[in-house]
Amino acid sequence: RSLDVIRTLSGSEVVRDLDALAERDRRLKAAVVAHLVVIKERSIHLDLGHSSLVDYCVDRLGCSKDTAYKRSAAVKVAAAHPEVIEWLASGEMTLSGLIPLAPHAGDGSLVAEARGKSKRQFQQLVATTSGAVGGSAPEWYRFQQRVRPDAARLSKLELTIPNELVALIDAALDIDSHIDPSRNTAELLSRALAVYVAKRKRERFAV
């Protein structure tokens, strides 16, 4: 329907139509993911000259980079757990919610736990399961850190941080998902600190 026609509808008609459209949208997104699973399984995107599924979504389907990465993450999970397709269609799972689930696609019990949870709820579940800061923890934590050599040019850093900082890091990872779909926290901190150090040098030393 055109906007002019929609403006003639009653409030209840607008709500009814929008509910139906939202359900159709969920089912359409689920169907797209299902098709992309097959595209990837058969390497059809490679046959068509696309180096990755993300490139296929952007170049062939006209998706934004952000949407393409979300669909790529969904494909990874759905390929291992086809029931996720139905969860997408029913609204029990969203494309955004599948992003933090992708690294845990091999854990069937964790995938099942994610059903019906928001992205934040699932991340808190993972944090609690792994012994990190979770949803039941106090608002602020005493800052502790331990840095030890792990390999050449690498060190292992362990931190206990407030929930607010966890949320801030998560938001930054979402914003930069088009740059780093793997959501690598170390890479994010490297980029952020490089910007911060350069800014502070200019402010303090006029360089």
Side-chain angles (χ1 to χ4, degrees), residues 92-120:
E92 295 175 284
M93 180 63 70
T94 65
L95 289 177
S96 293
L98 284 171
I99 293 176
L101 187 57
H104 309 280
D107 189 335
S109 61
L110 202 55
V111 171
E113 285 283 352
R115 184 179 186 180
K117 289 183 172 62
S118 66
K119 184 173 71 171
R120 168 51 57 191

Side-chain angles (χ1 to χ4, degrees), residues 145-167:
Q145 69 177 36
R146 185 171 65 209
V147 181
R148 61 179 183 272
D150 187 52
R153 299 182 61 193
L154 294 175
S155 294
K156 183 171 290 185
L157 173 65
E158 296 180 358
L159 299 173
T160 302
I161 61 178
N163 280 342
E164 288 85 350
L165 183 53
V166 174

Side-chain angles (χ1 to χ4, degrees), residues 8-199:
T8 67
L9 301 177
S10 67
S12 60
E13 288 174 326
V14 173
V15 171
R16 181 198 63 205
D17 282 4
L18 190 55
D19 286 344
L21 288 169
E23 181 180 358
R24 190 185 310 168
D25 181 59
R26 290 193 298 268
R27 293 190 177 279
L28 182 59
K29 286 177 180 176
V32 168
V33 171
H35 282 72
L36 287 174
V37 169
V38 177
I39 289 285
K40 186 170 184 179
E41 286 176 345
R42 299 180 183 176
S43 300
I44 295 174
H45 59 300
L46 299 179
D47 294 338
L48 293 174
H50 302 280
S51 60
S52 69
L53 196 62
V54 170
D55 287 342
Y56 176 84
C57 289
V58 172
D59 298 335
R60 178 89 177 191
L61 304 183
C63 300
S64 67
K65 276 289 184 71
D66 182 61
T67 297
Y69 284 126
K70 288 178 181 178
R71 287 179 173 175
S72 180
V75 165
K76 181 177 181 179
V77 180
H81 305 278
E83 64 272 19
V84 167
I85 300 293
E86 289 302 317
W87 300 351
L88 285 170
S90 67
E92 295 175 284
M93 180 63 70
T94 65
L95 289 177
S96 293
L98 284 171
I99 293 176
L101 187 57
H104 309 280
D107 189 335
S109 61
L110 202 55
V111 171
E113 285 283 352
R115 184 179 186 180
K117 289 183 172 62
S118 66
K119 184 173 71 171
R120 168 51 57 191
Q121 289 172 328
F122 174 72
Q123 288 170 325
Q124 290 177 335
L125 171 67
V126 172
T128 302
T129 302
S130 63
V133 176
S136 61
E139 181 179 2
W140 285 96
Y141 294 83
R142 182 177 180 180
F143 180 86
Q144 299 174 329
Q145 69 177 36
R146 185 171 65 209
V147 181
R148 61 179 183 272
D150 187 52
R153 299 182 61 193
L154 294 175
S155 294
K156 183 171 290 185
L157 173 65
E158 296 180 358
L159 299 173
T160 302
I161 61 178
N163 280 342
E164 288 85 350
L165 183 53
V166 174
L168 190 61
I169 292 173
D170 180 54
L173 288 169
D174 282 346
I175 291 171
D176 276 3
S177 62
H178 66 293
I179 299 173
D180 181 14
S182 67
R183 298 172 62 83
N184 188 310
T185 303
E187 292 292 337
L188 171 70
L189 292 177
S190 179
R191 292 193 300 272
L193 287 172
V195 172
Y196 176 79
V197 169
K199 178 176 181 294

